[in-house]
Every structure is written in C-alpha cells, then in structure tokens.
Amino acid sequence: MAALGITIALLVWVATLLLISIWKQIYSSWNLPPGPFALPILGNVLQLDLKDIPKSFTKLAQRFGPVFTLHLGSRRIVVLHGYKAVKEVLLNHKNEFSGRGEIPVFHEYKDKGIVFNNGPTWKDVRRFSLSILRDYGMGKQRNEERIQREAHFLVEELRKTQGQPFDPTFLIGCAPCNVIADILFHRRFDYNDKKCLRLMHLFNENFYLLSTPWVQLYNNFSDYLRYLPGSHRKIMKNLSEIRQYALERAKEHLQSLDSSCPRDVTDCLLVEMEKEKHRQEPIFTMENISVTLADLFFAGTETTSTTLRYGLLILMKYPEIEEKLHEEIDRVIGPTRIPSVKDRLEMPYMDAVVHEIQRFINLLPSNVPHEATKDTMFRGYVIPKGTIVIPTLDSLLYDKQEFPDPEKFKPQHFLNENGKFKYSDYFKPFSAGKRVCVGEGLARMELFLLLSAILQHFNLKSLTDPKDIDLSPVTIGFGSIPPPYKLCVIPRL
Ligand code: HEM
C-alpha cells in the first residue's frame, strides 16, 4: 500500500514538473520567432545534426524562415539566416545584440578579455585594445613591414624542406603566430621553437575540439554534463595553459616597464593598469590583461593559419588556378621583390582567390554567438534579454543568388566580366557591427602577402592526384576544420 502511495506521489510530481516546463515554454515563447516544438529538457536537440549544426540551421530556415527560435537545455536561441536578417541584427540593432552568448567551455572568461567577455568591461577593453592595436601594431605600414619580414622567414623555412613532403600545420602557422606575437609581446620565435610549437598545438587542438559533436552537446547542456569527463575539460586545460603563458609575459614586461616608452600591446595595457591603480574597481587588472592577451594571441593565430592551410589544399586541387596566380605574380611583382600591399590593386586574380578561399572554407559558419542585451522588438517579435542570438555567416557566404554554385570553388565569384575585382557585401567572414573581428585588417593583409610570397617562390605539389583531393572539412561546429594533409613545395627558378 505504502509503495503504491509513493509511486502515485512520484508520478504526480513528474507530471507536475512536465506541466510546469511546458507552461513555462509556452509562456516565454509567446512572442518569440517561430520554431520547432521543443521537448522538455531536451528541447530541439533531436532536430540538430551535431556533426553539422550549421547545415541543420539551413534546413530549419527553409521550414521556419530567416528568423527562428530553438531551445536547447535551458538555452533559448534565436537564429538569423540570410543577408537581410543577419545584417539587420548586426547593423540596425548594433547595441541590442552586442552581448556575447555564453559558450560554457569558456565560462571562466565570461567577464574578462574580449572574445568571450559578456560583462561590463568588454566595451572598454575592446575600445582600448583596438586603439593600441591601431597605434601600435596595426597601423598599416608597420604591419605590412612586419608581415613582409615574416614572409621572408617563411620562404626560407619552406626552402629547407627541399621538396620533401611535410605537414603544413605548424610550419605555415608559425608565420601568423610570429606576426601577432611581435605585436603583443615584441617577440618572434624560431620555426622549431618548442614553446611556439606547444602554443600552436594548444590553439590547434582547441579549435578542433570546439568543433566536435561532444563539445557542441556540452555547450548546450553543460548544466547536466559539467561533472562528466570529456574533451570539454581538455579545452579548459589548454586555455588555462595559454592564459598562463600570457600572464608570464605580462609579469615579465612589468619588471622592465618604462611608461614613457611602451614596446608593445602588453606594455600599453600595463601602463593603463598603472594609471588605474587607485580606482575602486579597476578594469585593467593583471587577470583581465592576461585574458585579453591570450584572446588576441589565439584569435590572431589559429584563424589566419587555418585559412592559409586550407587555401593551399584548395590550390593543389585546382592547379590551373595556381598557374594563373603564378602568372599574375610574375607579371606584377617579378621573381625577387617582396610582395607589398599596393600590389593588390594590380592583382585582381589573387585578390579574388583570397576572397574565394575565405568564402569557400566558411571558417566560422555560425559566427561567434551574440546575446540580447535587453528585451528587443525585432520584426514584430520580442527577443528577451539574455537570449542567445546567432547571426549565421555561412548563410551569406553560401547565398545561391550572390554566389552561383556556392559549393564550388570559383574565383569568378569575385571577378567581373573584365577580370577586375568585384566587391560583394555578402562577404562577411569577419562578421559586422559592434563585435566585428578586431583583426580583420591584419588578417586580410597577412593572407594576401603570405600567400603571394609562397607562390612567388614555390610550386605546390600534391602527394595524390589533384582530382582525388577531398576538400570537405573533417568536422564542422564552432569552426570548419580542414582535413590533415601533406604537400611538397618545389622552388620556382
Ligand atoms: C581569417 C582570419 C579571421 C577570421 C575569419 C576572423 C573572424 C572573426 C569572427 C567571425 C569574429 C566574431 C565576430 C562577432 O562576434 O560578430 C571574430 C572576433 C574576433 N576576432 Fe577575428 N577573425 C580572424 C582573424 C583575427 C585576427 C588576426 C585577430 C587578432 C588581431 C582577431 C581577433 C578577434 C577578436 C579579439 C575578436 C572578438 C571581438 C569581440 O568580441 O568584440 N581575429 N573574428
């Protein structure tokens, strides 16, 4: 009898919980954009392919339109799909959607640094970092010289491979790593430096793990999964090692700091910290500085490095495109002069290829998540404060009208009928608005100069028949991760 009573009580309890959950969902969804019905607790996870969430978003957009709502665990997510909706969110509602949607593996950094900062210090840290990057490293000319110097080292290093096969991940990655390390820490590494290789390994592993199905699941159900073992813990451990490196550099800089003569971004941040010494709630604490430096180091290395690596694989698949690039380089730059930014004006084909690489590889297909900073009226819906907002970038880069045959790699997407470079407003791999990538100018300069320098000196040689090269990413999640490969570079005489 007692057992029956307990069973009934349990059933009533479960039924009440379910009813409350359904009621809460209906109540809070009243004025939200449409979306598939969400199951209690699981939400819409069954409607997502965890191996390719961006593709699931595209399918859902075909059913529910360019603005739709999903529920995953306790997270309410509004997805924007297509040029108009994405631009409207990023540019017409700049402030309302400028928060950073929480990524649970980065929970520890949710109010520090730039990239994952959703706290009150984000605006000041971003503004100040941008201004020092502009004055310091990112001023056009200084960066051009910096990249040109590194291009020279990269070419020398490639020459040392003597036509033998090698994995380009760290060799190529070292160039963007050194460019940003010079801006941040006034430091450059040898291409076989153990510390540099370790840091690049951490960046690379994190970018990969972040894009795996398990971490997609973890990031949406962390309330339930946080105590389990798994690769989310590895990401956190790696991140803490990267942060520790940045902290050590900051401490080292502090010991020899001359406020009147800052050497790099670290010094500028430390000078600000000194100025704020007597403030009650300082922004530029040692902790915030080290996370800011780690953010810039990671974001500034892995993105550009992956783009270059993916780009070389694409060029190996299409030797006729590589051939045209050699022809343009020989005509405009010649065999010895180091490529410069002004060459871009006379090199529409290279410009188009670099754009097409970025479009095609779709590095961050679902952008980095944003968050509504207040209740916001959008296209007749109310998007409550705290809602995660995803302005997808692949929906612009793979727009069928703007880029016919978007699944194909075609430099013509960025060329007009006279062979001149054709601008497209759909080209937004760096996003737009208040959170737009801080390193866009630097990254674009690096891609153009480094790729030009590599092709000026070398022919690419694939180990397999170009036709058999598979360009599909190995995993798609936070990023689109290129397949691992080896290549040979043969000096051009
Ligand atoms: C091919 C290279 C790159 C691509 C495709 C890229 C793309 C992006 C994207 C899509 C975002 C998110 C924007 C948003 O939330 O709306 C972002 C943010 C960011 N990027 Fe980049 N990026 C690249 C290179 C760089 C470089 C070289 C740096 C370093 C100087 C950098 C630093 C940052 C930072 C600090 C943020 C966070 C901005 C914020 O939250 O306010 N990125 N990037």
Side-chain angles (χ1 to χ4, degrees):
M1 205 53 185
L4 183 68
I6 293 173
T7 313
I8 291 173
L10 268 177
L11 283 175
V12 170
W13 182 62
V14 170
T16 315
L17 277 184
L18 270 177
L19 280 175
I20 292 175
S21 156
I22 292 170
W23 164 247
K24 262 186 165 172
Q25 199 191 314
I26 293 172
Y27 181 75
S28 66
S29 305
W30 205 245
N31 229 340
L32 279 170
F37 180 78
L39 296 171
I41 302 174
L42 284 181
N44 298 112
V45 71
L46 301 179
Q47 271 107 353
L48 297 182
D49 173 2
L50 291 175
K51 287 202 212 87
D52 194 345
I53 292 186
K55 200 170 180 184
S56 304
F57 286 165
T58 304
K59 282 191 185 149
L60 287 164
Q62 282 158 4
R63 236 177 102 199
F64 295 100
V67 187
F68 60 90
T69 309
L70 294 176
H71 292 88
L72 294 170
S74 55
R75 287 151 69 91
R76 184 177 38 228
I77 300 173
V78 169
V79 179
L80 290 313
H81 201 269
Y83 179 75
K84 277 195 185 144
V86 169
K87 234 186 137 185
E88 216 174 310
V89 151
L90 292 176
L91 298 174
N92 301 357
H93 291 272
K94 278 184 185 161
N95 291 318
E96 296 92 317
F97 297 123
S98 65
R100 178 60 80 213
E102 194 191 347
I103 304 179
V105 275
F106 298 127
H107 177 80
E108 205 186 324
Y109 307 101
K110 72 178 179 16
D111 53 4
K112 300 177 195 93
I114 313 178
V115 185
F116 307 109
N117 191 343
N118 192 31
T121 63
W122 164 71
K123 221 180 227 166
D124 289 317
V125 177
R126 179 182 162 106
R127 194 184 307 124
F128 186 70
S129 304
L130 261 177
S131 77
I132 40 176
L133 283 170
R134 232 170 249 149
D135 298 349
Y136 232 81
M138 315 262 281
K140 270 201 186 117
Q141 188 148 9
R142 293 180 95 171
N143 270 344
E144 182 176 7
E145 283 164 19
R146 212 176 244 128
I147 301 165
Q148 285 175 328
R149 195 183 50 165
E150 199 52 47
H152 171 74
F153 286 116
L154 174 63
V155 167
E156 288 313 302
E157 213 56 35
L158 287 171
R159 228 180 266 291
K160 288 186 198 160
T161 63
Q162 298 190 323
Q164 294 303 306
F166 65 97
D167 175 342
T169 310
F170 298 126
L171 201 161
I172 299 282
C174 220
C177 181
N178 269 335
V179 170
I180 191 78
D182 187 36
I183 296 172
L184 299 178
F185 310 119
H186 198 54
R187 173 174 282 226
R188 97 161 275 287
F189 300 96
D190 278 340
Y191 278 57
N192 51 8
D193 183 287
K194 285 220 168 67
K195 192 74 206 176
C196 179
L197 291 171
R198 172 76 190 152
L199 287 164
M200 282 195 295
H201 166 75
L202 298 172
F203 298 157
N204 187 262
E205 189 172 48
N206 266 11
F207 196 43
Y208 169 76
L209 290 176
L210 268 170
S211 308
T212 54
W214 168 255
V215 177
Q216 308 301 302
L217 199 68
Y218 177 83
N219 276 334
N220 288 300
F221 294 93
S222 61
D223 292 348
Y224 309 101
L225 305 177
R226 89 178 52 189
Y227 301 106
L228 295 183
S231 47
H232 55 282
R233 290 181 185 264
K234 183 83 181 129
I235 296 181
M236 294 174 199
K237 212 167 145 252
N238 288 351
L239 214 63
S240 138
E241 194 177 330
I242 298 167
R243 225 262 290 179
Q244 188 57 32
Y245 177 82
L247 182 65
E248 280 162 21
R249 296 289 72 72
K251 282 184 179 162
E252 197 179 76
H253 274 59
L254 192 59
Q255 277 168 9
S256 53
L257 183 68
D258 174 359
S259 312
S260 60
C261 185
R263 295 157 289 191
D264 48 28
V265 169
T266 308
D267 272 0
C268 294
L269 290 166
L270 291 171
V271 170
E272 211 53 22
M273 180 174 91
E274 298 280 288
K275 278 195 215 153
E276 278 190 340
K277 230 179 198 163
H278 302 294
R279 242 176 95 157
Q280 264 208 334
E281 284 182 40
I283 297 169
F284 293 94
T285 58
M286 208 54 169
E287 201 178 13
N288 213 352
I289 289 177
S290 62
V291 178
T292 304
L293 291 169
D295 276 0
L296 290 166
F297 201 13
F298 168 71
T301 301
E302 195 50 31
T303 47
T304 315
S305 153
T306 308
T307 307
L308 281 172
R309 185 165 82 251
Y310 222 148
L312 293 180
L313 183 66
I314 296 170
L315 293 183
M316 279 197 299
K317 185 166 178 72
Y318 301 108
E320 66 287 0
I321 296 181
E322 187 195 336
E323 199 42 54
K324 277 192 178 181
L325 290 172
H326 287 307
E327 186 276 318
E328 189 178 65
I329 291 170
D330 292 349
R331 182 164 40 79
V332 179
I333 310 174
T336 47
R337 180 173 64 77
I338 200 130
S340 66
V341 169
K342 71 172 174 27
D343 293 323
R344 183 151 56 186
L345 288 174
E346 290 178 67
M347 294 174 66
Y349 196 69
M350 174 60 95
D351 208 2
V353 167
V354 172
H355 279 74
E356 180 65 356
I357 289 173
Q358 286 205 267
R359 184 200 72 77
F360 180 82
I361 70 165
N362 191 13
L363 189 69
L364 299 169
S366 304
N367 209 332
V368 184
H370 286 221
E371 189 179 291
T373 53
K374 53 172 145 165
D375 292 355
T376 305
M377 191 77 171
F378 181 78
R379 294 191 173 186
Y381 305 114
V382 177
I383 301 184
K385 178 177 175 180
T387 303
I388 293 178
V389 174
I390 301 190
T392 57
L393 299 178
D394 60 344
S395 63
L396 277 68
L397 299 174
Y398 273 69
D399 184 282
K400 284 195 179 80
Q401 239 118 55
E402 183 71 4
F403 304 113
D405 284 335
E407 309 292 333
K408 292 204 176 125
F409 183 83
K410 292 202 306 194
Q412 294 84 332
H413 284 141
F414 293 94
L415 290 168
N416 69 15
E417 51 293 348
N418 302 322
K420 296 266 178 282
F421 180 77
K422 185 172 82 182
Y423 167 85
S424 166
D425 202 39
Y426 286 60
F427 180 78
K428 294 270 181 282
F430 300 95
S431 190
K434 292 261 164 171
R435 283 272 179 179
V436 64
C437 174
V438 162
E440 173 170 355
L442 177 69
R444 294 174 77 151
M445 209 186 273
E446 283 182 291
L447 293 175
F448 177 79
L449 294 178
L450 295 175
L451 208 57
S452 298
I454 296 171
L455 294 173
Q456 180 185 33
H457 293 278
F458 302 99
N459 291 313
L460 309 176
K461 194 173 133 207
S462 165
L463 305 190
T464 54
D465 187 330
K467 283 196 257 0
D468 297 333
I469 295 177
D470 183 0
L471 296 177
S472 331
V474 277
T475 181
I476 305 180
F478 185 75
S480 302
I481 311 295
Y485 71 95
K486 283 188 176 175
L487 83 162
C488 303
V489 293
I490 312 296
R492 301 178 68 218
L493 301 170

